[in-house]
Amino acid sequence: SGSLRYDILDWLYVSGRIGMDWYTRRDTNLTPEGTGHTLPGNRTEGEDRVREINADWMLGVDKAFGDFNVNAFVGGNRMQRSSERISANGSGFSVEFFDAINNAATRNFGYGFSESGINSLYGSAEISYKEYLYLNVTARNDWFSTLSPANRSILYPSVNGSFVFSQAFENLPDWLSYGKIRAGYAEVGSDGD
């Protein structure tokens, strides 16, 4: 992975990141000859290869305007994922106790491949007043490759507000060092396999 950030002004920045996760996993499963539920025995071998690439960008602002402070950003992300599985299965070994798939009387082979992607645009803004009144608004829109073209766009909005009354009022009891009231609303969604 790698990331880069450039401060255009002391309150305005642009950043970008790209990263890849990948792994290869091999598995073997052997049921020896003579096992009660599978007397002839069987062997399965498989390999999974999975790769995911994420690239995103962001343009952000963090600026004070008198008693108000604005911390906001807009950005986008592109995610691509691929998964591949190769497998072989054999049962009923021709030469006893030689548990190789090429020694199996019955053999099956399998192959699976899938690819998916998500394109996203998102943004967030926090507006605060005198460090005791806060409003947070976010939105994210995803376009899923796994959904039908007519319905592949999903929007996730949220809004949160909070009031730190221990910062706003001076004459509070000694036993109350911090107090906040907060309320929020959010929507989420997802795609299918």
Side-chain angles (χ1 to χ4, degrees):
S1 65
S3 64
L4 208 57
R5 176 179 162 140
Y6 179 70
D7 292 331
I8 300 167
L9 300 168
D10 62 347
W11 53 270
L12 180 67
Y13 67 90
V14 64
S15 68
R17 292 184 302 190
I18 188 164
M20 180 169 66
D21 293 323
W22 77 92
Y23 66 86
T24 300
R25 180 185 64 206
R26 185 166 181 183
D27 55 84
T28 301
N29 184 23
L30 172 66
T31 304
E33 293 173 68
T35 302
H37 59 80
T38 311
L39 286 175
N42 72 26
R43 182 182 187 103
T44 302
E45 301 223 7
E47 184 172 285
D48 294 297
R49 296 176 187 166
V50 178
R51 182 181 72 184
E52 182 173 307
I53 299 172
N54 276 282
D56 62 347
W57 62 271
M58 193 179 302
L59 177 67
V61 155
D62 191 358
K63 187 162 177 61
F65 302 92
D67 290 335
F68 292 91
N69 190 64
V70 176
N71 187 338
F73 67 85
V74 294
N77 178 271
R78 179 172 173 83
M79 186 279 291
Q80 293 177 292
R81 181 179 173 87
S82 66
S83 177
E84 181 180 32
R85 173 142 179 100
I86 302 167
S87 62
N89 175 275
S91 63
F93 303 113
S94 299
V95 177
E96 282 189 342
F97 305 111
F98 179 51
D99 54 26
I101 290 176
N102 61 355
N103 182 42
T106 305
R107 298 178 206 157
N108 297 303
F109 302 95
Y111 178 78
F113 181 80
S114 69
E115 236 178 0
S116 64
I118 304 172
N119 293 324
S120 307
L121 290 176
Y122 46 81
S124 174
E126 178 185 78
I127 301 166
S128 62
Y129 176 71
K130 289 190 175 181
E131 296 185 356
Y132 66 79
L133 195 58
Y134 297 87
L135 176 66
N136 295 73
V137 178
T138 69
R140 178 182 178 109
N141 202 104
D142 288 336
W143 290 268
F144 296 98
S145 68
T146 56
L147 299 177
S148 73
N151 296 309
R152 68 175 39 161
S153 172
I154 299 178
L155 177 68
Y156 319 100
S158 78
V159 62
N160 288 283
S162 59
F163 175 53
V164 184
F165 58 86
S166 56
Q167 289 285 104
F169 305 119
E170 294 178 8
N171 297 324
L172 292 174
D174 291 340
W175 54 267
L176 182 63
S177 61
Y178 185 80
K180 176 165 80 169
I181 298 171
R182 181 176 161 179
Y185 172 81
E187 292 181 13
V188 297
S190 68
D191 65 337
D193 289 333

mmCIF file of all heavy atoms in Angstrom, residues 5-6 25 32 39 73 90 125 149 151 177 182 185:
data_model
loop_
_atom_site.group_PDB
_atom_site.id
_atom_site.type_symbol
_atom_site.label_atom_id
_atom_site.label_comp_id
_atom_site.label_asym_id
_atom_site.label_seq_id
_atom_site.Cartn_x
_atom_site.Cartn_y
_atom_site.Cartn_z
ATOM 1 N N ARG A 5 -0.161 12.747 0.706
ATOM 2 C CA ARG A 5 -0.999 13.874 1.109
ATOM 3 C C ARG A 5 -0.235 15.159 0.796
ATOM 4 O O ARG A 5 0.959 15.258 1.055
ATOM 5 C CB ARG A 5 -1.325 13.813 2.599
ATOM 6 C CG ARG A 5 -2.117 15.028 3.055
ATOM 7 C CD ARG A 5 -2.461 14.947 4.515
ATOM 8 N NE ARG A 5 -2.823 16.268 5.032
ATOM 9 C CZ ARG A 5 -3.795 16.492 5.872
ATOM 10 N NH1 ARG A 5 -4.518 15.491 6.311
ATOM 11 N NH2 ARG A 5 -4.047 17.703 6.301
ATOM 12 N N TYR A 6 -0.985 16.120 0.255
ATOM 13 C CA TYR A 6 -0.388 17.413 -0.065
ATOM 14 C C TYR A 6 -1.267 18.506 0.525
ATOM 15 O O TYR A 6 -2.471 18.547 0.274
ATOM 16 C CB TYR A 6 -0.271 17.599 -1.583
ATOM 17 C CG TYR A 6 0.314 18.930 -1.977
ATOM 18 C CD1 TYR A 6 1.648 19.216 -1.740
ATOM 19 C CD2 TYR A 6 -0.485 19.901 -2.563
ATOM 20 C CE1 TYR A 6 2.186 20.445 -2.091
ATOM 21 C CE2 TYR A 6 0.036 21.132 -2.926
ATOM 22 C CZ TYR A 6 1.382 21.399 -2.675
ATOM 23 O OH TYR A 6 1.910 22.610 -3.022
ATOM 24 N N ARG A 25 -4.174 -19.685 -0.752
ATOM 25 C CA ARG A 25 -4.356 -20.660 0.323
ATOM 26 C C ARG A 25 -4.572 -22.035 -0.293
ATOM 27 O O ARG A 25 -5.417 -22.209 -1.169
ATOM 28 C CB ARG A 25 -5.559 -20.281 1.185
ATOM 29 C CG ARG A 25 -5.800 -21.272 2.320
ATOM 30 C CD ARG A 25 -7.057 -20.959 3.074
ATOM 31 N NE ARG A 25 -8.206 -21.108 2.174
ATOM 32 C CZ ARG A 25 -9.343 -20.468 2.332
ATOM 33 N NH1 ARG A 25 -9.504 -19.609 3.301
ATOM 34 N NH2 ARG A 25 -10.354 -20.674 1.500
ATOM 35 N N PRO A 32 -9.354 -41.258 5.456
ATOM 36 C CA PRO A 32 -8.641 -42.510 5.190
ATOM 37 C C PRO A 32 -9.588 -43.672 4.869
ATOM 38 O O PRO A 32 -10.752 -43.670 5.272
ATOM 39 C CB PRO A 32 -7.884 -42.786 6.490
ATOM 40 C CG PRO A 32 -7.945 -41.532 7.287
ATOM 41 C CD PRO A 32 -9.135 -40.779 6.816
ATOM 42 N N LEU A 39 -16.107 -45.682 3.510
ATOM 43 C CA LEU A 39 -15.206 -46.843 3.555
ATOM 44 C C LEU A 39 -14.087 -46.809 2.512
ATOM 45 O O LEU A 39 -12.951 -47.158 2.822
ATOM 46 C CB LEU A 39 -16.020 -48.146 3.434
ATOM 47 C CG LEU A 39 -16.814 -48.523 4.690
ATOM 48 C CD1 LEU A 39 -17.682 -49.748 4.428
ATOM 49 C CD2 LEU A 39 -15.882 -48.785 5.853
ATOM 50 N N PHE A 73 -14.740 16.883 4.099
ATOM 51 C CA PHE A 73 -14.010 16.300 2.978
ATOM 52 C C PHE A 73 -14.982 15.675 1.987
ATOM 53 O O PHE A 73 -16.107 15.321 2.328
ATOM 54 C CB PHE A 73 -12.977 15.264 3.437
ATOM 55 C CG PHE A 73 -13.567 14.018 4.032
ATOM 56 C CD1 PHE A 73 -13.975 12.958 3.243
ATOM 57 C CD2 PHE A 73 -13.728 13.915 5.405
ATOM 58 C CE1 PHE A 73 -14.527 11.815 3.798
ATOM 59 C CE2 PHE A 73 -14.274 12.771 5.968
ATOM 60 C CZ PHE A 73 -14.671 11.724 5.158
ATOM 61 N N GLY A 90 -10.809 -37.082 -5.243
ATOM 62 C CA GLY A 90 -10.749 -38.475 -5.656
ATOM 63 C C GLY A 90 -11.237 -39.384 -4.553
ATOM 64 O O GLY A 90 -11.011 -39.120 -3.374
ATOM 65 N N ALA A 125 -19.060 16.262 6.707
ATOM 66 C CA ALA A 125 -18.857 17.617 7.202
ATOM 67 C C ALA A 125 -19.217 17.664 8.679
ATOM 68 O O ALA A 125 -20.261 17.153 9.084
ATOM 69 C CB ALA A 125 -19.702 18.618 6.432
ATOM 70 N N PRO A 149 -28.001 -3.226 -13.547
ATOM 71 C CA PRO A 149 -27.684 -1.837 -13.920
ATOM 72 C C PRO A 149 -28.759 -0.825 -13.532
ATOM 73 O O PRO A 149 -28.441 0.313 -13.214
ATOM 74 C CB PRO A 149 -27.521 -1.914 -15.438
ATOM 75 C CG PRO A 149 -27.110 -3.319 -15.698
ATOM 76 C CD PRO A 149 -27.840 -4.146 -14.673
ATOM 77 N N ASN A 151 -30.560 -0.834 -10.838
ATOM 78 C CA ASN A 151 -30.643 -0.640 -9.381
ATOM 79 C C ASN A 151 -29.303 -0.835 -8.682
ATOM 80 O O ASN A 151 -29.261 -1.320 -7.552
ATOM 81 C CB ASN A 151 -31.658 -1.624 -8.779
ATOM 82 C CG ASN A 151 -33.050 -1.370 -9.272
ATOM 83 O OD1 ASN A 151 -33.535 -0.252 -9.216
ATOM 84 N ND2 ASN A 151 -33.690 -2.396 -9.791
ATOM 85 N N SER A 177 -18.249 16.028 35.651
ATOM 86 C CA SER A 177 -17.079 16.581 34.957
ATOM 87 C C SER A 177 -17.306 16.677 33.448
ATOM 88 O O SER A 177 -16.662 17.488 32.780
ATOM 89 C CB SER A 177 -15.850 15.723 35.234
ATOM 90 O OG SER A 177 -16.055 14.408 34.757
ATOM 91 N N ARG A 182 -26.626 13.494 22.661
ATOM 92 C CA ARG A 182 -26.338 13.229 21.253
ATOM 93 C C ARG A 182 -27.496 12.466 20.619
ATOM 94 O O ARG A 182 -28.098 11.602 21.254
ATOM 95 C CB ARG A 182 -25.062 12.405 21.155
ATOM 96 C CG ARG A 182 -24.651 12.077 19.761
ATOM 97 C CD ARG A 182 -23.336 11.340 19.798
ATOM 98 N NE ARG A 182 -23.159 10.640 18.541
ATOM 99 C CZ ARG A 182 -22.126 9.919 18.239
ATOM 100 N NH1 ARG A 182 -21.154 9.777 19.099
ATOM 101 N NH2 ARG A 182 -22.032 9.318 17.082
ATOM 102 N N TYR A 185 -29.056 9.762 13.081
ATOM 103 C CA TYR A 185 -29.841 8.943 12.159
ATOM 104 C C TYR A 185 -28.919 8.525 11.020
ATOM 105 O O TYR A 185 -28.126 9.326 10.529
ATOM 106 C CB TYR A 185 -31.018 9.742 11.595
ATOM 107 C CG TYR A 185 -31.754 9.005 10.499
ATOM 108 C CD1 TYR A 185 -32.696 8.027 10.808
ATOM 109 C CD2 TYR A 185 -31.477 9.262 9.160
ATOM 110 C CE1 TYR A 185 -33.355 7.340 9.809
ATOM 111 C CE2 TYR A 185 -32.130 8.572 8.157
ATOM 112 C CZ TYR A 185 -33.073 7.606 8.483
ATOM 113 O OH TYR A 185 -33.704 6.920 7.488
#
